[in-house]
Amino acid sequence: MDKKKTFVTLEQLQEIDKTYPTPYHLYDEQGIIDNVLRLKEAFSWNKGYREYFAIKATPNPFILKILKEYGCGVDCASMTELMMGHALDYKPQEMMFSSNDTPIEEFQYANKVGAIINLDDITHIEVLERALGGSLPDTISCRYNPGGYFKLGTSVMDNPGDAKYGMTHEQIIEAFKILKSKGVKHFGIHSFLASNTVTNEYYPTLAKILFELAVELFEKTGADIRFINLSGGIGIPYKPEQKANDIAVIGENVHRVYDEVLTPLGMNDIAIYTELGRYMLGPFGCLVTKAINEKHIHKEYIGVDACAVHLMRPAIYKAYHHITVAGKEDEPCDHVYDVVGSLCENNDKFAVDRELPKIDMGDYLIIHDTGAHGFSMGYNYNGKLKSAELLLKKDGSVQMIRRAETPKDYFATFDFCDIFDKLNGET
Ligand SMILES: *Cc1c(COP(=O)(O)O)cnc(C)c1O
């Protein structure tokens, strides 16, 4: 089986352990930077290109600052994500607000901090207008859902017909007409049709759909279309046998479709936007945990000090996350284990029937590809506390970029009653 490389060694983990106990999420600054540079290069043919990093994937201001330095904006979907973007001084056009089922206060706040509002539904035109006291922003984006199945060749990638997002074809045309009549000056189009696509074909195929829609919208409404947002969805190879996407090829093929559909009509000043999350951070984070228990019953179990609250994907999606036992990279995988956490939930398993080297108590397990939708999906079931996040910096030093939760944090929402005062003295 192919090996998946880690960005940290056993020696580094032992060193980190002197200051920061496991479990923790660790991020690789150099990896993040090299990757964002490759992305920017791939789309450098497009003058207005910008990546709006999907905050929800890794909502940490230190991570956002790295990306910001390389020109990335942020895509926000909630009040607190907007607040984070605002606190980090993103300029108005550097924040996208791609929400759905949106509360009115979030529209108001998004507008106040200058985020570009990406409307999920035609009914939101009225809601937004009311929210903003009768006026609309100069620039508005609309989210498109073509329905049906999304296919690449003959294989079904995803099922937009069953997805709650976006407007139908008819509705988006109508929405553009209404928005234009209400004085909106500039327009964007957005769509997200398939998640975690490990193929170079997704973006070019989506781009063709959206570019053709842009032409139709322009012809039918005369709208001034300024950007097309390909959103997220570029995946990563979680499994060792999967082949990674080649972002240069993806960029080139989007360019080719752009030149086929838009350029001949003189629509060649439309900016391409992306809202990647997983692709930007996924491989550049890992969850480091220690083996603390072993159990030999009907199966062989290794209990670690992390659990599903630190990484939910295996529990809810049965997602595969590769595991490396630090320092045992070259040992034969001649044991079969379930690697489990301590939740009172039998889906709290990081790996099931996984072939691994013999694991000894105290071994560090590196759970790969947790940089996106890892920490951020965490929760507090069983009263478990969220872990720290650490950044392995370019110079090899380690910086804590989020401290671990303490019992005091867990009890903080009882700060209006007497249990808090009693526990506060003890925590
Ligand atoms: C989740 C999300 C993204 C990022 O998705 P990835 O799969 O991480 O690339 C981008 N845009 C929107 C609107 C999203 O909801």
Side-chain angles (χ1 to χ4, degrees):
M1 190 179 264
D2 294 339
K3 286 247 166 91
K4 272 176 76 85
K5 288 213 170 57
T6 56
F7 57 81
V8 65
T9 62
L10 173 62
E11 293 66 38
Q12 283 172 303
L13 293 178
Q14 287 165 337
E15 193 56 35
I16 295 170
D17 210 338
K18 293 177 184 161
T19 317
Y20 306 108
T22 53
Y24 52 80
H25 282 269
L26 181 69
Y27 302 93
D28 172 21
E29 184 177 36
Q30 190 65 57
I32 296 168
I33 292 170
D34 293 345
N35 192 56
V36 70
L37 289 174
R38 280 193 294 270
L39 173 74
K40 287 184 68 170
E41 176 61 27
F43 286 92
S44 57
W45 55 268
N46 182 259
K47 201 158 80 52
Y49 173 73
R50 177 173 280 136
E51 153 71 3
Y52 292 81
F53 175 66
I55 289 193
K56 74 163 192 263
T58 322
N60 187 304
F62 294 86
I63 298 289
L64 297 181
K65 276 185 193 167
I66 299 171
L67 296 173
K68 189 169 191 274
E69 211 163 292
Y70 292 86
C72 297
V74 279
D75 171 43
C76 308
S78 69
M79 186 66 106
T80 47
E81 289 182 359
L82 284 165
M83 289 167 80
M84 197 182 290
H86 181 55
L88 289 170
D89 287 328
Y90 285 90
K91 294 196 199 78
Q93 67 281 13
E94 295 169 349
M95 275 192 283
M96 187 70 63
F97 183 52
S98 294
S99 62
N100 71 95
D101 184 21
T102 312
I104 206 161
E105 315 79 61
E106 296 189 5
F107 276 138
Q108 288 165 338
Y109 188 73
N111 185 62
K112 190 175 120 189
V113 300
I116 300 173
I117 292 174
N118 182 29
L119 286 182
D120 182 66
D121 194 60
I122 191 164
T123 58
H124 285 170
I125 297 175
E126 253 182 71
V127 177
L128 181 63
E129 202 176 21
R130 251 186 296 125
L132 304 186
S135 68
L136 288 169
D138 282 350
T139 301
I140 288 206
S141 172
C142 290
R143 183 166 181 167
Y144 176 50
N145 180 341
Y149 287 96
F150 180 70
K151 291 184 190 160
L152 290 179
T154 53
S155 58
V156 173
M157 301 294 292
D158 223 318
N159 185 359
D162 196 37
K164 65 175 176 171
Y165 311 107
M167 309 182 194
T168 66
H169 185 255
E170 223 169 281
Q171 285 173 340
I172 198 169
I173 295 168
E174 185 64 18
F176 268 51
K177 285 183 183 160
I178 297 171
L179 289 165
K180 201 156 176 273
S181 75
K182 290 180 183 290
V184 172
K185 294 191 183 69
H186 314 298
F187 289 81
I189 308 172
H190 170 282
S191 195
F192 190 156
L193 298 185
S195 198
N196 191 28
T197 57
V198 191
T199 156
N200 292 334
E201 292 309 308
Y202 171 62
Y203 255 15
T205 307
L206 171 67
K208 185 156 196 292
I209 294 171
L210 293 184
F211 295 166
E212 285 171 352
L213 178 66
V215 172
E216 184 183 357
L217 283 167
F218 175 68
E219 284 170 353
K220 293 192 170 155
T221 71
D224 172 29
I225 298 163
R226 289 290 174 95
F227 62 85
I228 289 172
N229 185 344
L230 301 176
S231 188
I234 296 190
I236 59 169
Y238 286 100
K239 296 181 179 163
E241 67 271 20
Q242 284 178 305
K243 192 166 177 292
N245 291 319
D246 184 336
I247 200 68
V249 171
I250 292 173
E252 234 170 73
N253 285 334
V254 172
H255 190 185
R256 183 176 44 76
V257 179
Y258 191 98
D259 278 347
E260 277 166 20
V261 180
L262 295 174
T263 306
L265 298 173
M267 296 172 77
N268 53 352
D269 54 357
I270 296 181
I272 300 296
Y273 293 167
T274 55
E275 292 174 344
L276 297 166
R278 192 184 316 270
Y279 182 79
M280 300 305 288
L281 254 298
F284 312 109
C286 61
L287 173 59
V288 180
T289 183
K290 220 182 246 177
I292 55 169
N293 285 295
E294 57 189 308
K295 178 162 180 168
H296 317 280
I297 50 168
H298 309 291
K299 297 180 86 171
E300 291 294 297
Y301 292 98
I302 294 294
V304 294
D305 60 5
C307 60
V309 305
H310 306 112
L311 177 68
M312 200 178 185
R313 299 185 72 260
I316 57 168
Y317 306 131
K318 295 207 182 306
Y320 180 95
H321 279 265
H322 199 66
I323 295 178
T324 296
V325 184
K328 297 187 176 174
E329 289 82 353
D330 296 322
E331 292 188 14
C333 293
D334 53 3
H335 284 62
V336 176
Y337 295 114
D338 280 16
V339 177
V340 304
S342 56
L343 292 189
C344 304
E345 269 289 343
N346 200 41
N347 66 5
D348 183 17
K349 297 186 173 186
F350 291 116
V352 174
D353 299 331
R354 184 76 58 88
E355 292 177 6
L356 289 164
K358 179 174 187 310
I359 294 175
D360 296 297
M361 295 305 92
D363 277 352
Y364 297 97
L365 273 61
I366 299 169
I367 303 180
H368 291 237
D369 301 319
T370 69
H373 312 296
F375 179 96
S376 63
M377 291 178 87
Y379 56 115
N380 279 116
Y381 193 50
N382 266 199
K384 293 288 177 179
L385 303 174
K386 289 185 199 140
S387 76
E389 293 181 288
L390 307 178
L391 180 65
L392 177 61
K393 305 198 38 151
K394 281 183 289 193
D395 64 7
S397 64
V398 170
Q399 182 188 5
M400 182 172 73
I401 57 173
R402 185 194 300 261
R403 68 164 170 80
E405 276 184 344
T406 64
K408 198 169 163 178
D409 298 315
Y410 182 76
F411 293 116
T413 41
F414 299 115
D415 59 357
F416 59 93
C417 70
D418 51 8
I419 178 184
F420 184 77
D421 299 327
K422 177 149 190 333
L423 288 168
N424 218 9
E426 294 178 8
T427 54

